[in-house]
Every structure is written in structure tokens, then in C-alpha cells.
Amino acid sequence: MLRITGGKVYDPAHGIDGVVQDICIADGKIVADVGAGRTLDATGMIIFPGGVDIHTHVAGAALNFARGLTPENQRAAAPFLHTKDLRMGLGGPTPTTFATGYLYAGMGYTTVMEAAVPVLSAKHTHEELRDTPIVDKACLVLMANNEIVLDLLEAGETERAKQVVAWLIWAAKVYGVKAVNPGGVAAWKWGKDAKQMVSPIAGYSTLTPAKIIGGLAAIIDDLGLPHPIHLHCNNLGAPGNVSTTLDSIKALEGRRAHLAHLQFHAYGGDDWHTMRSEAVQLASYFNTQKHLTADAGAILFGNAVTITADGPWQHLLYQLTGRKWGNIDVENETGCGIVPYTYKGSNLVNAVQWAVGLELLLLIDDPWRIFLTTDHPNGACFWRYPEIIHLLMNAEYRRECIQKLPPKALKRITLPDLTREYSLYEIAIITSAGPARAMSMPQKGHLGVGADADLTIYNQNPDGAMMFRYPRYVIKGGEIVVEEGDLRKSIEGREFVVKPAFEPQIEDYLRPLFQQCYTMSFENYPVELERVHGLQMADCLPRG
Amino acid sequence: MGGKVTCTLGEVKNRADFIIYWGGNPAECHPRHFTKYTLTQKGKFVPTGRKGRTMVLVDIRETPSAKAADVFLQVRPGKDFEMVAALRALVKGQPVDPALVAETGLTVEQLQDFVNQMKSCKFGVLFFGMGLSMTRGKHMNSASVLALAAELNAFTKFVAMPMRGHGNVTGADVILRYTTGYPFGINLCRGYPRFNPGEFSTVDLLVRGDNDASLILGADPGATMPQPAIEHLARTPTIVLDPKVTHTSKISRVHITTAATGVSAPGTVYRMDEVPLPLRPALKSPYPTDEEVMRRIREAVMKKPAWLPAANGRLAARA
């Protein structure tokens, strides 16, 4: 039992904006009052609900592929030494599993969503998540290039497609569905891409990316998944792709959706020389579409590793940069590409990208619908979030950074005109309360009675980067893991899984197809329940 | 630079119309490879099975795998790297010196024909074995065929995959990568992982005699490693966990008999394409599993007093 006194509480889910009040914790939950027990004096400190990362890549076959591909990054990273309570590991753009848990918790984040899991290797993803301590986890399964699903959508068999999607979600033991470059990864299996929303995909006669988006969004609503379709739009990273992004939103036909790493989808221009920000256009349209949420996918200058299921884009990036290229096509389901990348402030395209991420965060007026991410490790490493927070909270510091950009870039962006500064209350929304709501996790992202006792206590500091980089205390599930700024204890996290309703007979349909498409026996395909460590079932609420 | 452009084996089954085996003898070493994944299966986009696929074998001698191949290219021993270099030049349309090509035992015409086939296929795959990766040139050979496959993607879809074997070696590689960041050749003596193949790889440690004890799990280095390494294993305390008597267990100080994984112990095995498969034991064993033995050894070790000085027991600075 624990009582925290004297801290200024920021709990946007309950409209609490910097009010000094006590927080009581018992049995891992926030409670109204506790009797005896430890008291933590937080006088002069700031209390936030634990951070929630709605889109990150921290575990799974693709990330592990990247670790193998870039030993030079691990070598350059500061090590975590083995201690009595903590496991050894390495940081860097693709940290080892234990280091990932320590780095997130050390930054005050207590819940993360691994955003790209193929069913075929989901067993492996859960193994890695089991070894990712402290934080609670959830996964999204890749579905928009699964040829069994695409074949059904092309044939117009939506009811059967729904059954298959539900079965696959449970087979992978995940929380929701991610659609990456719908149709584009399937086309990449033939070395092609899908850039036009209304053109048929390579290998199909009538199926278009727009139909996949609409079809999947409808299925996800019918199944009542807690998190809506998590959409990585087509044409990522390409100049002029804002039109594709707007078309993708239209393809949703008003259904709810979460748009991933929006920064990579908000460019104008015709080629790399004319590329410019279209954040104003996208943000003003997005502001009117109240059924949508998005995460920023901001970039920061420095080393990153781009990892995405968007195979064709990665081939282009490999040709552009001449650096290493990893690619793995996953039978029937998806693919993944990996290219190490360095964002440079002196590079015109990178400068525009840097500005677009911040512009979207500043121009989208409702903080409950735009969340802080870097699409780790694509735009920047997750442990650099505090740098972005500082940029958002301090317009003067932003101006200093803008002055370092190439002068040519200034004509391509609107960031210099933006004077908005985020308040602590708004930061608490975009880092915790908002993503928790978008993920429909009622026990996360707030400090009301009944919530999980996940909270972070900061020393107040005008330098947001310093303040958010080094929390004074981090409490996860009622346990103090960071104390006096030092990670002292590691505990195990949980994993959230949904089981949407499906008819068991769907297996009779899938089994023969499976034998044709795959190379393992059908019985070995689903993830066994006991492989999910700290299983926490979440509910589906079908929407009529 | 190259990298690694690959796929899962189902992609090969469903799409590959051009299959290269280089420095490997799957007919004898991976006897199910042809029938399960690469040649005879009817795939979703290769409906005619074997008829719809072309296979090329590159090796230094005509192994039984050559019988399965449509084309056999016999490269002179130790000249694989030169052959790949010539192929990469031809792929890019650059001239090659016929005299240099002749050193590989092949002609420019043969290589040009090979390149034409690679470029004109719909989905090509290059499997490479230890005949390439463990002979003269070693990792440089692997890097060059991986680069060849990557570069061919400017023309068509092309992937490459190492022909791994030896039980669950891929699984060990996968798990070491996510726990330590590196696949093998890792030194933990400083309390965190360091990677240096050639310095910290098992064979180098043993040949130099750097370690003063060995714990061997699921491997039989006594059968494959050079004599100085084997002598060092025999000279120092060596513990072997294995279901059966092996070359290594015969020279070890302690051999703990364990249940055979997959037969009488459960677990997970990773295929060469890193797809995990669950193992369900068919039989019961009177012996403990590897996991059980390791857990008990660890528990016993944990009871010993810590030897690390307290000052080192702090968390390192952030990355």
C-alpha cells in the first residue's frame, strides 16, 4: 500500500490539470484511500499517468532481423550491466528485449503496442515480449496483404472474410489489426507496389487498396475490436503522397480508424527536389474527421533503422541510400524490409520530414486524436521522445532549431509560423490519456479509482527534455520500479489479447487452403495460449 | 552494400520458378528440401510443380544433388568468390575479363547464360551451403551472394537463404540476438554482451585455450572442430548435456543424459527461414529435459556468493 502526497497531478481523463492531491495505491490499483503503509512525499513534483505508446516496433522476427543486420549499432550503444535484479542488454536503435523494458520504464512509459506481427511468426513475437520486462504489451496482427483474406475480399465474400480475420486474430493472440500498405506488400511479392487507391493490385483483377481498407475497417467494426483499423497508408514516404492519404481516409467511408505515423504520409511536391510539407492540408482535413485518431511518427536527426512491412518502399530506400538492405517476405501474409538510415539536418528532405512531424502535432487541434510516436525505430528511437516534448512545449527552442535548417527548407514548411506551445496537461494527453483511449484500455492512461497503478513522477524542470528523460519515480502496477531516478527493480509485464467471436467451422474452410499456401501443418500454426505471458483478456463490443 | 534479402520457405514453394543451390548438397544433407519446399511441390503460382521450375546447382563436384538439377555449374575449388564477382558484374552489364572467369573453371558464355536466366525469371531464390560459406573467402563469400541476390531485385524478384542445419542452430541464433543483440561469438565476461567473431567464437576460444571450462548443449564440437580445440576440451573440465553418447561426451568430465527434444521433451525449433515450430513430444523420458538441468544448475550457482564488486552492480548509463 502506498500514498503519494503533495504532487501536482495531471490526469486529463478526469480533467485534472495540475491539482495537488493525494494518490493512493493498493494491490496494483488506484484506490480512494489507504490506511497504513508507505507514504511518498512528492511535494513540488509532477504526477502523470504512465506513458502509453500506441505504435512501436520492439519485438518480433523483423526487429530481430534488424538486430542481426546492424551489430555496429549495438556495439556503439551504452550497455546495461547484469546486476542482482536486472538482466544485461544493449540499447541503441534496436535494443535487446530486457533493455527495451528498462528503457521504456526508465522514461516513464508503462504500456506499449507492438504494431506489426505476422501470424506465422507470432509465436516468436510472444517469446520476445515475455522477455520484455516491466511494461504491459499488446500486439497488432498484419492483415491487409494476407492473400487468403484478399482473395475473399475480391470475391465479395465479406462474411467469410470476417470469420477468417477473427480466427487469425485469435490464432496470433493479439489485440487488434494493422493494415500496412494495403495490397502493396502482396504486389511486392512480384516486385511491384500499389500506389493508386483505385487501381487493381498486381495479381488481382478488381481488388484495389481502397476496397481492402473499406472491407477490413467494416470487418473490424463488426467484430467490435477495441482498437479500430490501424492503418499505414499506401505510398509511404513519397513526395506528393498526401493525396493518397486523403483518398485512404475517404476509403474508410466514415468508419473509425487510427492512422499510423502520419508524418510519413503528409508530403507534397512531385519528386525529391520539390518535396514540401502538406501538413496544413492534411491537418485541416483531419480536424474535421472526428472518427479518426493518428500518431505523429515524428523524426529526429540522427541514426535510425527503418523497419516496415512496406517492402517496396524499403527497396527504394536501399537504392537511394546504398546502405544495407534486409527483406523478408512471409508466405501468404506479409513482408518486411529493413534499411539503416541517418536523418541529417542538412538534408532538404530530412529537414522537411522533421518539420512535418512537429507541424502535425501542432496543427491538429484536438490532442485526444494525435499521439506522440516516432514509429520507433523508423523516425527516431523511442527513448528520444523527451526531445520532441521539449520542441512542442517551447516555441523559442523550436525557433532556434529551425534556424539550423537549410534555408531552402524554410519555403517548404509552415513550422516557423506556428507559435503554439503544448501545456503539461496536453503532453499528458498525447503521451498517455489519448493513446489509452484510442486503444480502448479503460485501466490505462488515467489516475482514477480502479485504474492500474501505473504512474510517473517528475521533478519539475523548464527543460522538458531533461524533465521527461529522467523521471524521479516510476510506479508500475503499484510497484516502484524507478526510485530517485534509478531503475531499481524489474517486474514482469502483462499482455493484452482479444478473442473475437468466430464459428469453429471456419477451420474446415481454412485447412485445405492452408495446406496449399503454407509449409507447416495447420495444427502448428496458431499460437498456443500458454505462450502468452501474463495473459490479460480484453473485451470485444460489436458495433452494429 | 548488400544485406540480406530473403523470404520464408512457403514463398519459395508458391512462387519460385528459378532455384539455385550453391555449395550445398541438399539431396543428402537436407533430404526433404526438394520435395517439401523447392522443386516438386505444386505452388499457388507454380501450378505445374517441377515442370514450372528450373534448378541450377553450383558446386565443386558432381554430388547426388546434380541429378535433380537442370544445369550443373562446376566451379573450381576456392573460386566461388571470383565467380560471384563476375556474375555481379554481368548483372550490371559491365565487361568481365575472360581470363579471370577462366580461373573459376567456367566460361563467360556459361555465366552470361546463368545471369540471363536469373534476370528473366519471375521469382528467383539462391540457397547457399557451407561449401560456400565455410571455404576460402568464408563470410566474404556469403556477403557477396547476398549482395548478388539484393542487386538482382533491380530486374526481378530475387531472394537468398543460407542452408542451415544441425538441429536448432537457427533457434540459438534467434534467441541470442534478442537477449544480447548478437547471433554468436558473444563474450559476457564484462557483465554485458560483446561481439567479435574470430575472437570470441567457440572454435577460436578453444583453439587458443582461453577458457577454463566448457558447458556444451545440443552440439557435438568433438566431431567437427579442429584437433587443438578438441584437445583443449579434453584437458579442461567439460560438461555435456546430450541424450546420447557423442564424440564430445566421450572426452568430457561430465555427461548429463537428457531427454531428446522433439521426441521426449517439448520445445520450439526454428526452421532455416526463422519460422518457429512447436515440438510436441511423442514419448516420455526417464531423463530430465535440457531446460530442467539448466534451471537446476542455475539455481545452484545463484546460491553461491556474488563475486562482482558492489560498485559494478549499478545500472549503466542510458544508451
Side-chain angles (χ1 to χ4, degrees), chain A residues 521-542:
Chain A
S521 61
F522 188 60
E523 284 65 32
N524 284 338
Y525 185 58
V527 177
E528 312 91 314
L529 201 53
E530 54 273 19
R531 245 179 234 268
V532 182
H533 207 59
L535 177 77
Q536 194 77 24
M537 293 303 297
D539 295 328
C540 286
L541 287 171

Side-chain angles (χ1 to χ4, degrees), chain A residues 291-413:
Chain A
H291 55 291
L292 300 178
T293 57
D295 63 87
I299 71 137
L300 289 169
F301 301 126
N303 273 333
V305 178
T306 65
I307 305 178
T308 168
D310 201 336
W313 166 253
Q314 294 296 74
H315 180 234
L316 178 74
L317 200 59
Y318 156 70
Q319 290 177 314
L320 280 174
T321 61
R323 291 176 71 166
K324 296 182 211 179
W325 175 34
N327 178 84
I328 180 159
D329 292 333
V330 179
E331 59 208 62
N332 186 62
E333 290 176 15
T334 180
C336 130
I338 298 158
V339 181
Y341 192 79
T342 307
Y343 293 97
K344 291 183 186 139
S346 56
N347 176 304
L348 185 63
V349 170
N350 294 161
V352 170
Q353 291 180 306
W354 177 81
V356 171
L358 296 172
E359 285 168 359
L360 287 169
L361 280 159
L362 294 165
L363 287 166
I364 291 175
D365 49 19
D366 181 0
W368 287 95
R369 296 205 289 122
I370 177 83
F371 315 126
L372 177 59
T373 68
T374 55
D375 190 16
H376 164 83
N378 285 285
C381 300
F382 66 79
W383 35 268
R384 294 182 68 188
Y385 289 173
E387 295 173 42
I388 301 175
I389 294 176
H390 189 42
L391 284 162
L392 293 175
M393 291 185 73
N394 190 327
E396 182 53 41
Y397 173 63
R398 220 158 51 218
R399 261 192 298 280
E400 287 169 26
C401 293
I402 290 169
Q403 277 166 8
K404 293 180 198 152
L405 299 181
K408 249 177 143 178
L410 301 184
K411 287 181 230 133
R412 316 280 181 88
I413 59 176

Side-chain angles (χ1 to χ4, degrees), chain B residues 38-296:
Chain B
T38 58
L39 283 187
T40 54
Q41 284 271 348
K42 291 191 166 87
K44 192 174 175 187
F45 303 102
V46 195
T48 54
R50 182 67 185 88
K51 283 194 212 80
R53 308 185 200 259
T54 306
M55 174 185 154
V56 177
L57 179 72
V58 186
D59 210 343
I60 56 164
R61 61 178 161 269
E62 198 168 336
T63 63
S65 297
K67 279 195 208 77
D70 298 293
V71 180
F72 171 57
L73 296 175
Q74 189 161 5
V75 59
R76 219 168 260 162
K79 294 291 175 189
D80 298 88
F81 186 85
E82 287 79 351
M83 181 172 164
V84 184
L87 289 171
R88 286 177 65 192
L90 290 171
V91 164
K92 292 186 175 169
Q94 286 164 354
V96 293
D97 182 348
L100 290 177
V101 172
E103 281 183 30
T104 66
L106 297 157
T107 63
V108 177
E109 291 67 38
Q110 277 176 303
L111 296 192
Q112 186 61 55
D113 183 47
F114 191 23
V115 166
N116 292 347
Q117 289 194 68
M118 286 192 239
K119 281 185 172 179
S120 59
C121 72
K122 276 198 215 148
F123 187 112
V125 54
L126 191 160
F127 293 100
F128 58 100
M130 292 204 287
L132 181 85
S133 61
M134 291 293 164
T135 53
R136 179 180 165 266
K138 289 195 172 181
H139 61 280
M140 295 304 289
N141 292 349
S142 305
S144 65
V145 289
L146 289 168
L148 171 67
E151 286 160 4
L152 277 163
N153 279 274
F155 306 94
T156 186
K157 185 79 190 176
F158 222 98
V159 298
M161 196 185 299
M163 292 289 282
R164 305 191 76 174
H166 293 282
N168 202 1
V169 61
T170 308
D173 172 327
V174 160
I175 285 164
L176 285 172
R177 257 187 284 150
Y178 73 72
T179 51
T180 71
Y182 305 121
F184 64 94
I186 303 156
N187 184 331
L188 302 174
C189 288
R190 287 193 188 160
Y192 68 91
R194 288 181 300 149
F195 176 56
N196 204 9
E199 185 181 8
F200 304 145
S201 341
T202 313
V203 64
D204 301 286
L205 284 173
L206 291 174
V207 166
R208 286 197 310 270
D210 275 0
N211 63 317
D212 41 40
S214 309
L215 172 66
I216 294 166
L217 239 163
D220 188 10
T224 52
M225 283 199 180
Q227 200 55 35
I230 295 170
E231 280 163 13
H232 186 70
L233 283 173
R235 193 161 54 230
T236 51
T238 296
I239 307 163
V240 171
L241 271 60
D242 209 294
K244 54 199 182 303
V245 174
T246 64
H247 290 92
T248 318
S249 78
K250 284 182 195 156
I251 55 166
S252 66
R253 206 74 59 89
V254 180
H255 175 195
I256 301 172
T257 308
T258 51
T261 305
V263 178
S264 45
T268 305
V269 67
Y270 283 76
R271 260 176 11 188
M272 64 168 72
D273 58 356
E274 299 192 359
V275 170
L277 291 171
L279 295 174
R280 299 191 187 86
L283 303 172
K284 281 207 169 80
S285 170
Y287 301 111
T289 62
D290 290 330
E291 191 183 355
E292 164 80 10
V293 173
M294 289 307 296
R295 193 176 53 74
R296 282 164 63 184

Side-chain angles (χ1 to χ4, degrees), chain A residues 64 67 74-75 79 82-83 97 106 124 147 188-189 325-329 331 515-519 524 531, chain B residues 2 4 6-8 10-11 13-15 157 174 177-178 181-182 191 195 268 270-271 280 313 316 318:
Chain A
N64 215 29
R67 292 185 186 113
Q74 275 88 273
R75 255 201 198 122
H82 167 77
T83 72
T97 49
H124 173 77
E147 288 158 30
W188 172 242
K189 305 260 173 93
W325 175 34
N327 178 84
I328 180 159
D329 292 333
E331 59 208 62
Q515 247 116 40
Q516 190 202 344
C517 300
Y518 285 84
T519 45
N524 284 338
R531 245 179 234 268
Chain B
K4 185 177 173 189
T6 188
C7 66
T8 64
E11 282 294 291
K13 176 182 121 169
N14 282 329
R15 293 172 203 266
K157 185 79 190 176
V174 160
R177 257 187 284 150
Y178 73 72
Y182 305 121
F195 176 56
T268 305
Y270 283 76
R271 260 176 11 188
R280 299 191 187 86
R318 249 168 225 264

